[in-house]
């Protein structure tokens, strides 16, 4: 590579990839088709290797280009979000912190413990996203996230801060006096309970699939798309469903059905945008999340030993 590539050439190349042809890219950029071709050729000449394999039916990226394109796309998203980020972080009258997590983690960890942070940072506008969709922290879609899925790599700071255990939960009224926790799935099957599965449109997890197989042999299941519906269905005795222990143990009139360790657990990942590592209100929110996870982990350990 004789010199650094021109960002305008990169931007034109990315537009070409999104639109699928020279003519469509030219229309999107409002420049001529020969200019698009010339700038793409100039980019390849600067890099010293081809970016595309062309075929009669279209094109595909060369092996050398694939990783570069990912980096360029990340940079493009950051540049598009930069004006909004600067405005948010330097306008002291309206400091915003965008946090993403799952409905279960928000219910068990964030909302019950957030009062102290709000009292300390009353001017911070908190945007807490509890949708099931994973937001790209590195690209500026959110500032911080607590999630079960291992976060993306890139311009983020990621840390595994704990583990969430799961169990099957049902209303106490569904079980006879003296019912002991099931130590295998066949014992659960013998209860004749109906399965309530949370299906938010992202597929069914392995424990949920197992619950469906075990209880579905006797009764049809109920599929619910909202986490709050899953919780209410369990509380009202409609059937049994899988919850994180940090949620299930707090529900009145609800009990764990399986012995500890039978259903499984998942890691808890905290991910933060690297660009925000110097902001106190962000770091203190990170510490608040860590402390909430640690507090709940200790409480669950005590709960399990009782």
């Amino acid at each position: 590579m004789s010199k650094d590539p021109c960002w305008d050439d990169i931007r034109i190349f990315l537009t070409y990839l999104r639109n699928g042809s020279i003519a469509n890219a030219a229309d999107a950029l409002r420049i001529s088709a020969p200019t698009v071709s010339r700038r793409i050729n100039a980019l390849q000449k600067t890099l010293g290797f081809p970016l595309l394999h062309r075929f009669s039916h279209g094109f595909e990226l060369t092996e050398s280009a694939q990783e570069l394109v990912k980096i360029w796309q990340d940079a493009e998203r950051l540049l598009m979000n930069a004006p909004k980020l600067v405005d948010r972080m330097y306008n002291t009258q309206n400091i915003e912190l965008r946090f993403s997590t799952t409905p279960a983690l928000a219910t068990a960890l964030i909302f019950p413990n957030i009062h102290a942070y709000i009292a300390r940072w009353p001017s911070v506008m908190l945007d807490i996203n509890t949708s099931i969709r994973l937001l790209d922290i590195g690209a500026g879609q959110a500032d911080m996230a607590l999630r079960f899925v291992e976060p993306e790599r890139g311009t983020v700071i990621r840390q595994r801060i704990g583990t969430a255990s799961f169990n099957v939960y049902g209303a106490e009224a569904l079980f006879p006096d003296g019912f002991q926790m099931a130590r295998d799935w066949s014992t659960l099957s013998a209860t004749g309970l109906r399965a309530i599965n949370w299906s938010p449109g992202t597929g069914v997890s392995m424990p949920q699939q197992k619950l469906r197989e075990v209880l579905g042999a006797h009764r049809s299941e109920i599929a619910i798309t909202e986490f709050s519906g899953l919780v209410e269905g369990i509380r009202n005795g409609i059937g049994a469903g899988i919850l994180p222990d940090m949620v299930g143990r707090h529900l009145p009139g609800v009990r764990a059905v399986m012995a500890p360790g039978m259903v499984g657990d998942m890691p808890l990942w905290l991910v933060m945008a690297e660009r925000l590592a110097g902001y106190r209100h962000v770091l203190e929110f990170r510490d608040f999340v860590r402390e909430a996870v640690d507090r709940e982990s200790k409480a669950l350990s005590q709960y399990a030993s009782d």
Side-chain angles (χ1 to χ4, degrees):
M1 188 185 299
S2 59
K3 60 180 181 179
D4 291 335
C6 171
W7 176 252
D8 281 343
D9 292 347
I10 294 171
R11 183 175 59 86
I12 289 171
F13 180 66
L14 293 177
T15 304
Y16 167 66
L17 292 182
R18 281 193 294 270
N19 288 274
S21 72
I22 296 291
N24 290 340
D27 288 341
L29 293 165
R30 298 186 179 181
I31 58 178
S32 68
T35 299
V36 173
S37 295
R38 178 170 53 81
R39 300 295 287 271
I40 292 175
N41 288 334
L43 177 60
Q44 294 180 108
K45 184 177 180 180
T46 300
L47 293 169
F49 54 80
L51 295 168
L52 299 168
H53 291 306
R54 298 185 185 277
F55 305 97
S56 58
H57 60 274
F59 62 84
E60 67 178 26
L61 291 171
T62 64
E63 186 176 346
S64 301
Q66 290 174 10
E67 190 61 34
L68 265 180
V69 166
K70 291 178 183 177
I71 295 170
W72 290 342
Q73 289 171 335
D74 287 344
E76 185 180 46
R77 286 193 291 267
L78 283 171
L79 286 170
M80 291 174 63
N81 281 291
K84 291 181 284 186
L85 289 170
V86 171
D87 180 66
R88 285 194 303 108
M89 301 313 296
Y90 287 97
N91 182 354
T92 57
Q93 299 302 314
N94 187 27
I95 304 173
E96 185 181 9
L97 195 155
R98 298 169 303 159
F99 179 71
S100 173
T101 192
T102 70
L105 296 177
T107 299
L109 299 172
I110 305 304
F111 297 140
N113 299 293
I114 202 169
H115 306 287
Y117 179 85
I118 292 174
R120 172 150 175 76
W121 291 95
S123 63
V124 173
M125 185 174 72
L126 289 169
D127 180 353
I128 300 178
N129 185 312
T130 59
S131 69
I132 202 67
R133 185 171 71 92
L134 291 178
L135 300 183
D136 190 336
I137 306 300
Q141 292 180 347
D143 302 324
M144 190 183 303
L146 179 67
R147 56 178 62 154
F148 296 118
V149 179
E150 185 172 359
E152 68 277 359
R153 299 181 184 274
T155 54
V156 298
I157 300 170
R158 41 189 249 140
Q159 181 186 17
R160 180 172 175 173
I161 61 171
T163 301
S165 57
F166 291 76
N167 206 324
V168 178
Y169 283 86
E172 290 178 349
L174 296 176
F175 302 94
D177 292 341
F179 177 84
Q180 299 296 313
M181 285 185 176
R183 298 194 174 276
D184 54 57
W185 290 95
S186 60
T187 303
L188 177 66
S189 176
T191 64
L193 294 170
R194 188 189 302 274
I196 307 177
N197 272 315
W198 178 35
S199 304
T202 57
V204 178
S205 68
M206 289 180 65
Q208 285 183 321
Q209 182 63 35
K210 183 68 175 179
L211 185 70
R212 171 185 288 175
E213 292 171 0
V214 170
L215 297 184
H218 303 284
R219 305 181 70 176
S220 61
E221 70 163 333
I222 296 177
I224 294 178
T225 57
E226 297 290 338
F227 179 75
S228 59
L230 171 64
V231 171
E232 288 305 308
I234 293 171
R235 287 183 58 197
N236 285 281
I238 296 174
I242 294 175
L243 293 173
D245 288 318
M246 65 179 68
V247 174
R249 78 179 188 91
H250 293 293
L251 296 178
V254 169
R255 61 161 297 160
V257 182
M258 305 289 287
M262 289 295 303
V263 178
D265 53 40
M266 295 183 71
L268 289 175
W269 291 93
L270 184 63
V271 54
M272 182 180 77
E274 192 175 79
R275 65 185 180 276
L276 304 180
Y279 294 94
R280 269 181 49 203
H281 71 285
V282 177
L283 296 179
E284 289 196 20
F285 193 86
R286 176 203 62 187
D287 293 342
F288 145 67
V289 175
R290 286 175 176 169
E291 290 166 6
V293 170
D294 185 59
R295 188 182 305 115
E296 184 62 27
S297 297
K298 290 177 180 176
L300 279 171
S301 296
Q302 181 64 41
Y303 176 72
S305 65
D306 289 345

